Amino acid sequence: MACIKKLGQNITYDCAKAAEPISIRGIEELIIVNYDDISNYSVDTLGLATITMKRGTKGYVVSSVGNSVSATIAAKVNDIMVTAQEHTVVVKLIDNAGATGASEFSSLIYSLQIGTFAACVLTTSGHYFAYGLVSGLECSEIAGDSAADGIVSVTLKTPDAAGGDRLLSLTGATYEGLKTPRE
């Protein structure tokens, strides 16, 4: 059974440092990358990803204010392949500066509704992760209420038809490189 994979590392805890949660706690910043703008990506054996964007493209930064961006992972069981992951990224669209006009706001929601994306995050603990890099994230829900300060939440997740995804890490240089157009 060559296809059976095994655990390859210990899971240990230092009780003296147990107060600090794991490294995916809290999102400081999100970069949404149009999946079609990715030229290619590679992943090493430890799950460190490198992303190459197409010429002239970049990702789009979303500042996280008071948990306005959240990300989750869950097991995605498949009949055909090994258990993978389902990724979900929720973005709450907040315009606290009054800088976004009605047509821009409408266009932003629509773009998130019809696109396919990878979501790269900087956590509050200084780590970098990529969600949806293998399968791409698509809109699964939009919820807004004018009585709730007009906040609109857009949920991007691994599509139901996809086999699944894998949480990948990024270097700071790869993450920062997504912010500027590739020459």
Side-chain angles (χ1 to χ4, degrees):
M1 299 225 164
C3 64
I4 296 177
K5 302 294 181 187
K6 301 183 209 176
L7 183 65
Q9 67 188 54
N10 293 326
I11 302 171
T12 59
Y13 302 99
D14 181 347
C15 292
K17 298 178 182 174
E20 183 65 29
I22 197 158
S23 58
I24 63 172
R25 178 186 94 198
I27 294 176
E28 182 82 23
E29 182 180 75
L30 162 70
I31 299 176
I32 296 178
V33 177
N34 290 308
Y35 202 76
D36 188 52
D37 289 345
I38 298 172
S39 174
N40 62 57
Y41 69 89
S42 62
V43 180
D44 71 11
T45 57
L46 297 175
L48 180 64
T50 302
I51 302 169
T52 304
M53 301 291 289
K54 290 180 181 173
R55 209 171 280 287
T57 63
K58 68 179 188 77
Y60 298 90
V61 176
V62 178
S63 298
S64 181
V65 178
N67 292 322
S68 62
V69 176
S70 64
T72 62
I73 60 173
K76 184 169 177 67
V77 180
N78 298 284
D79 292 334
I80 300 171
M81 52 194 292
V82 298
T83 300
Q85 297 168 11
E86 178 177 276
H87 294 174
T88 304
V89 175
V90 178
V91 180
K92 293 179 183 174
L93 302 176
I94 302 168
D95 184 21
N96 62 351
T100 304
S103 63
E104 291 170 305
F105 189 67
S106 174
S107 178
L108 175 60
I109 293 171
Y110 186 65
S111 295
L112 291 170
Q113 177 182 335
I114 64 170
T116 301
F117 310 97
C120 300
V121 302
L122 165 60
T123 67
T124 55
S125 55
H127 298 282
Y128 302 91
F129 293 100
Y131 295 86
L133 189 57
V134 176
S135 296
L137 303 173
E138 296 178 352
C139 180
S140 66
E141 182 179 9
I142 299 173
D145 186 348
S146 62
D149 295 328
I151 296 172
V152 174
S153 294
V154 178
T155 302
L156 305 172
K157 77 176 220 23
T158 306
D160 292 337
D165 221 302
R166 177 179 175 197
L167 182 64
L168 299 169
S169 63
L170 302 168
T171 64
T174 296
Y175 180 86
E176 291 298 326
L178 297 172
K179 295 179 180 181
T180 56
R182 180 170 178 252
E183 299 285 325

